[in-house]
């Protein structure tokens, strides 16, 4: 949901981030704080870029663990 809101430059991304913050913090650690700062500053494109990079990086780590 957050990714979609950011993609659409929706101000609802601010509320969605606050709701999803515990999950994002567990998944992305300190990068979640960076995403939150960008969202609160309405820099949705930058927040989306960091969110996707964090997700992709996490996915790569999980894939490596399977090898």
């Amino acid at each position: 949901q957050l990714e979609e809101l950011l993609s659409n430059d929706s101000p609802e991304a601010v509320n969605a981030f606050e709701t999803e913050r515990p999950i994002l913090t567990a998944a992305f650690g300190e990068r979640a704080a960076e995403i939150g700062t960008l969202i609160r500053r309405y820099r949705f494109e930058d927040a989306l870029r960091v969110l996707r990079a964090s997700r992709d990086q996490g996915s790569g780590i999980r894939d490596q663990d399977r090898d």
Side-chain angles (χ1 to χ4, degrees), residues 17-36:
F17 175 80
E18 293 305 326
T19 300
E20 298 178 20
R21 183 196 320 228
I23 295 167
L24 294 170
T25 299
F28 304 136
E30 293 179 16
R31 300 229 36 204
E34 179 183 358
I35 294 166

Side-chain angles (χ1 to χ4, degrees), residues 4-64:
E4 182 179 339
L5 293 169
L6 292 171
S7 294
N8 293 322
D9 289 325
S10 173
E12 286 297 315
V14 177
N15 292 333
F17 175 80
E18 293 305 326
T19 300
E20 298 178 20
R21 183 196 320 228
I23 295 167
L24 294 170
T25 299
F28 304 136
E30 293 179 16
R31 300 229 36 204
E34 179 183 358
I35 294 166
T37 298
L38 292 168
I39 290 172
R40 284 188 295 279
R41 292 180 179 168
Y42 293 88
R43 293 177 53 193
F44 298 143
E45 188 175 320
D46 293 332
L48 182 60
R49 181 180 40 78
V50 175
L51 176 65
R52 286 178 173 164
S54 298
R55 182 196 61 210
D56 293 347
Q57 184 179 27
S59 176
I61 291 170
R62 283 193 296 274
D63 290 344
Q64 291 173 2

